[in-house]
Amino acid sequence: MSQKTTRPPAVSGTFYPSDPEQLRADIQGYLSGQKAETKRKPKFLIVPHAGYYYSGEVAAAAFIEVAGYSYDQIFLLGPSHHYSFSGALLDGADFWETPLGKVEIRSAKLLNAKSLGFAQNQAYHAPEHSLEVQIPFIQEVLPEAPITPILLSGGMGVARAIATELEGLKGDNLIVVSTDFNHAGPRFGYEPEKEGWGTGTQLDEQACRIIEGGDTGEFRDFNLKYQCTICGNLPVLTAMLLAKSKGLENFKLKTYSNSAAKTGGPDSVGYAALYL
């Protein structure tokens, strides 16, 4: 029998507290300020992946929607910030660890995908924060569910192939899509004013309206036209295509904020919580 492997946390102590008691208290504090809206069991969430100081309240607004439910498996879709490739990559570890303990990783059912060929690459997952920061929230609200973290990279044209592979997943699953919205200001070298928008918030509001409208072509074209700096636009588009293929209703925006609300100044990263 092969030895079990564990991915250690990469951003514990930076994006979220490394002390388990403080981490749990922070998450419970974020969640306690939220109330679920939907009366139906969600199939998808869209959540931010910044440091909890900036986006923890927005993340909690999404995760409170699934508190009290159970799922066979949770699939995390997030962008790769450190490595570029085209498609989707699984992690080969058996467990992921956070200060709150270990969660079981299940990736085997996707390794048989034919047309896209989901592959494993632990090195690409090792430094990535976009999926890791979701784990402590999941450990609090859905502690029993095994997780499949999937890194996505490439042009938005690969979204349909990834969504097609995910269509075949069986069971009562939850898809958690990790994305921050537009990164605007001098620090990011992106000025919405040059694209005809007053602020990054205005761009984000339009992006969220498009997601709520469910038009996948409009979302793709919007990102391309305005060169949006939505880091998870590929995971979002993949989820929109997957939801449409399943005949589901469209995402609903629950709340929005941005980093400027905490820091002030000219730079801002948008955060949104949506569910379906």
Side-chain angles (χ1 to χ4, degrees):
M1 180 180 293
S2 60
Q3 186 175 1
K4 300 289 185 179
T5 59
T6 299
R7 176 195 181 272
V11 294
S12 173
T14 53
F15 278 64
Y16 57 85
S18 57
D19 177 76
E21 292 185 4
Q22 185 63 58
L23 176 57
R24 182 170 286 109
D26 285 358
I27 293 174
Q28 290 176 350
Y30 296 137
L31 291 168
S32 68
Q34 304 295 332
K35 184 177 180 180
E37 290 183 348
T38 183
K39 303 301 182 184
R40 286 188 282 181
K41 185 177 184 180
K43 299 295 185 184
F44 292 81
L45 298 179
I46 294 178
V47 294
H49 56 237
Y52 286 6
Y53 171 77
Y54 298 100
S55 66
E57 292 178 358
V58 177
F63 279 112
I64 198 68
E65 297 295 331
V66 298
Y69 290 108
S70 62
Y71 294 89
D72 295 335
Q73 199 159 340
I74 301 172
F75 293 86
L76 302 181
L77 307 180
S80 175
H81 291 86
H82 298 273
Y83 297 95
S84 296
F85 52 92
S86 183
L89 287 178
L90 305 169
D91 184 44
D94 298 292
F95 301 96
W96 276 24
E97 187 172 24
T98 79
L100 301 183
K102 294 181 179 181
V103 295
E104 180 187 358
I105 302 300
R106 288 186 189 169
S107 300
K109 65 168 64 175
L110 281 172
L111 289 177
N112 295 322
K114 303 301 183 187
S115 63
L116 185 65
F118 279 84
Q120 288 182 339
N121 191 312
Q122 288 178 263
Y124 280 24
H125 275 270
E128 182 56 53
H129 69 275
S130 71
L131 303 179
E132 178 184 322
V133 298
Q134 314 307 338
I135 303 298
F137 274 98
I138 292 170
Q139 288 174 301
E140 281 297 300
V141 300
L142 297 168
E144 303 301 322
I147 296 170
T148 301
I150 309 172
L151 273 184
L152 274 58
S153 183
M156 297 183 78
V158 305
R160 187 167 296 280
I162 300 170
T164 298
E165 296 294 356
L166 296 174
E167 283 177 21
L169 294 172
K170 305 298 183 184
D172 182 13
N173 303 313
L174 174 67
I175 308 290
V176 177
V177 179
S178 175
T179 186
D180 291 339
F181 277 73
N182 279 287
H183 299 56
R187 176 188 171 194
F188 305 108
Y190 182 71
E191 299 179 44
E193 295 85 353
K194 294 182 179 179
E195 302 291 344
W197 297 82
T199 64
T201 298
Q202 289 181 0
L203 269 175
D204 289 343
E205 289 173 347
Q206 179 62 16
C208 288
R209 281 195 288 268
I210 295 171
I211 295 170
E212 286 188 292
D215 190 325
T216 57
E218 185 180 5
F219 181 73
R220 181 194 62 238
D221 294 344
F222 175 81
N223 276 268
L224 296 175
K225 179 178 180 179
Y226 297 110
Q227 296 298 296
C228 290
T229 51
I230 302 173
C231 55
N233 54 17
L234 175 57
V236 170
L237 180 58
T238 300
M240 292 175 68
L241 289 164
L242 181 57
K244 179 173 288 190
S245 73
K246 293 180 175 294
L248 300 176
E249 295 182 3
N250 298 329
F251 281 94
K252 177 176 174 54
L253 175 66
K254 185 174 183 184
T255 191
Y256 171 85
S257 187
N258 56 52
S259 60
K262 295 285 189 181
T263 64
D267 300 306
S268 182
V269 180
Y271 313 123
L274 300 97
Y275 63 85
L276 167 56

